[in-house]
Amino acid sequence: MFLYMLIYMAYHSSRWIPRSKRLKFQIVNVVFTALVLVPQFVILGSPKSSRYCNQPLLNNLSASIALSFIAAGFSVIFTLTDPVPQSLWASYHVFGLLTCGHGLSTAVLTLTAASCAKTTPELYCMSLFLTVASIFSTAFFLLRGALWLAKRPSVMDLSGNNER
């Protein structure tokens, strides 16, 4: 869910900037994309990462890199397109489900890979970071969803007065 949240924040941050000046925001977008991708590539290319680990953390990192590229594409499209078509919103939410599944699998792999902390420390630390980031972003969206539900008028209000 971490990548899903980054796209969400890029979209809402870009809406504060006038449409004619969003090109400058794309530079910030590239910097954030680099901050997400470069550490993953460094760890993927590290010789220590190819050592034996009883969990497929290296495969999980490869999936994370692929999802990061997709997230970079979504953030660029969302910050340049106004209004965003419904079909793009739908694909973004499907991507959110994919990142949720990836975050869940990363958490399970990280929790069961304690021995990998000694054999592949950088890979294990990256997996741990992705797990923590996924937990925080999931909590963010759960809180956001709860606030959205609290703000909606009640379906059970039979008086006909649905205004709050």
Side-chain angles (χ1 to χ4, degrees):
M1 295 285 294
F2 172 64
L3 297 169
Y4 184 72
M5 186 176 77
L6 288 180
I7 299 166
Y8 173 84
M9 291 188 172
Y11 172 75
H12 286 287
S13 298
S14 72
R15 294 308 183 241
W16 292 344
I17 300 169
R19 198 173 197 189
S20 62
K21 299 192 189 235
R22 287 191 190 160
L23 184 60
K24 294 176 184 176
F25 185 78
Q26 290 304 319
I27 296 169
V28 174
N29 203 1
V30 168
V31 169
F32 275 107
T33 301
L35 287 174
V36 170
L37 280 169
V38 168
Q40 293 182 56
F41 275 118
V42 167
I43 291 172
L44 184 68
S46 172
K48 289 182 181 180
S49 296
S50 62
R51 292 183 185 164
Y52 176 74
C53 178
N54 60 353
Q55 294 295 332
L57 294 181
L58 195 60
N59 295 341
N60 193 46
L61 181 64
S62 299
S64 178
I65 290 172
L67 289 173
S68 297
F69 275 114
I70 295 169
F74 269 121
S75 65
V76 167
I77 291 170
F78 275 22
T79 56
L80 292 177
T81 308
D82 197 18
V84 178
Q86 286 295 327
S87 59
L88 194 57
W89 279 115
S91 60
Y92 165 68
H93 293 305
V94 169
F95 176 76
L97 291 174
L98 286 173
T99 59
C100 183
H102 180 260
L104 184 62
S105 67
T106 301
V108 169
L109 289 174
T110 303
L111 291 173
T112 58
S115 63
C116 296
K118 293 178 183 165
T119 58
T120 56
E122 293 92 358
L123 186 59
Y124 180 77
C125 286
M126 176 57 81
S127 185
L128 193 62
F129 171 77
L130 291 173
T131 298
V132 170
S134 181
I135 289 169
F136 279 126
S137 58
T138 302
F140 169 77
F141 281 112
L142 286 174
L143 179 65
R144 185 177 169 268
L147 291 173
W148 177 73
L149 285 174
K151 187 177 174 183
R152 290 186 59 194
S154 174
V155 177
M156 301 305 279
D157 187 9
L158 299 175
S159 68
N161 186 8
N162 288 334
E163 295 180 19
R164 287 192 184 199

